[in-house]
Amino acid sequence: MSLEYTSSEMMTVTAARALENGTTCFVGIGLPSEAANLARLTHAPDVVLIYESGTLQTKPDILPLSIGDGELCESALTTVAVPEMFRYWLQGGKVNVGFLGTAQIDRFANLNTTLIGDYREPKVRLPGGGGAPEIATNAGEVFITLKHSRRAFVKDVDFVTTLGFGRDGKGRDNVPNIGKGPTRVITDLCVMKPDPETKELVVVSLHPGVNREDVMDATGWEVRFADQLESTPEPSEKELEILRELKARTERAHTGE
């Protein structure tokens, strides 16, 4: 019998499985942090998690509220200055994977966390890029995770905060000392990867219970599907148990219970 789980749990488990044991991962707050720590607590105990505040090989017992959460520093192997984090560790090529979230993403995997609408008169101002622009250009590859909707998946982002493959899919062509860029996008509906030639995102796997129409309805461009479309494996009982306990532990800690 299939286990009962939510679409959010499906997304987190799928994103966690993307991280291999021993990988050095620069982690964003929110969904990427949830997935990266689930990976550490399950199949990838030797994954090295790095956060922007300078914490190296951190092993938080609860999910951090921000990069400045004391839990990260207390559980880290060591903490270095932010300039050293970026200049030596990230720009020095020591990060295998950058794990990012976003507010908007387009067909060429460009990310927008700056604003919605016109730059001079935006409808909404967002938090900004933080370290994401540097992570996306210096990490070996980038994983992105976010919930799937037309508001988030747009044909062209309103502002390119973080480079995917540029407005035309050629933004990384012939640029030296730059990583592969986004290699997969994990949502609550599917998994997407860039086309090897055009770099446009293509659906390669559908989550259980999701059909093509669900993805098309939630995507702001005429999305393509791989010729060999796969079905994403369901979460295991162990993965769900560990994820739920992690989130419950986090909730108790943050509410003071």
Side-chain angles (χ1 to χ4, degrees):
M1 294 178 62
S2 296
L3 297 170
E4 291 188 3
Y5 53 86
T6 66
S7 59
S8 293
E9 289 174 331
M10 182 74 213
M11 172 175 57
T12 299
V13 169
T14 303
R17 289 171 175 170
L19 277 180
E20 297 180 0
N21 197 28
T23 298
T24 299
C25 179
F26 209 126
V27 190
I29 292 296
L31 293 175
S33 182
E34 186 175 305
N37 279 285
L38 176 61
R40 180 179 61 82
L41 294 171
T42 52
H43 68 279
D46 297 321
V47 67
V48 177
L49 302 186
I50 297 175
Y51 286 77
E52 190 177 333
S53 51
T55 51
L56 296 174
Q57 199 169 333
T58 186
K59 299 179 179 180
D61 187 53
I62 59 173
L63 297 173
L65 289 170
S66 72
I67 60 169
D69 197 312
E71 176 72 15
L72 293 176
C73 189
E74 290 175 4
S75 61
L77 176 66
T78 188
T79 301
V80 301
V82 172
E84 178 182 335
M85 169 63 67
F86 280 88
R87 180 67 187 93
Y88 178 78
W89 292 94
L90 183 59
Q91 295 177 355
K94 294 174 172 53
V95 174
N96 305 123
V97 173
F99 216 142
L100 301 175
T102 189
Q104 267 190 344
I105 184 170
D106 66 20
R107 64 193 191 281
F108 293 121
N110 300 300
L111 309 183
N112 174 23
T113 52
T114 300
L115 56 87
I116 303 298
D118 181 78
Y119 183 80
R120 293 170 181 79
E121 295 184 8
K123 297 177 183 178
V124 178
R125 287 195 178 277
L126 301 171
E134 289 78 15
I135 295 169
T137 51
N138 289 281
E141 60 182 317
V142 177
F143 299 161
I144 301 160
T145 185
L146 74 161
K147 293 188 175 182
H148 214 129
S149 71
R150 280 186 173 264
R151 184 171 65 176
F153 283 75
V154 297
K155 185 176 181 181
D156 297 294
V157 291
D158 295 337
F159 186 91
V160 179
T161 309
T162 303
L163 179 71
F165 296 100
R167 293 290 193 183
D168 58 0
K170 300 179 181 179
R172 291 176 181 264
D173 291 1
N174 303 314
V175 180
N177 303 319
I178 194 170
K180 295 178 183 177
T183 55
R184 68 186 73 194
V185 177
I186 303 110
T187 82
D188 51 344
L189 299 180
C190 65
V191 178
M192 309 173 89
K193 292 184 178 181
D195 180 275
E197 299 298 326
T198 67
K199 302 304 181 185
E200 184 173 319
L201 291 174
V202 176
V203 179
V204 298
S205 178
L206 293 176
H207 298 339
V210 177
N211 57 43
R212 293 177 183 235
E213 288 71 26
D214 294 330
V215 177
M216 290 189 288
D217 289 344
T219 307
W221 69 86
E222 192 173 338
V223 65
R224 295 166 48 208
F225 295 83
D227 293 336
Q228 300 295 325
L229 189 61
E230 298 180 357
S231 178
T232 313
E234 292 186 326
S236 69
E237 184 175 358
K238 178 182 177 182
E239 288 169 325
L240 290 173
E241 179 183 351
I242 292 174
L243 174 59
R244 290 168 182 174
E245 176 52 32
L246 172 63
K247 296 184 75 171
R249 200 161 60 237
T250 300
E251 179 68 17
R252 290 193 297 270
H254 290 165
T255 58
E257 294 182 6

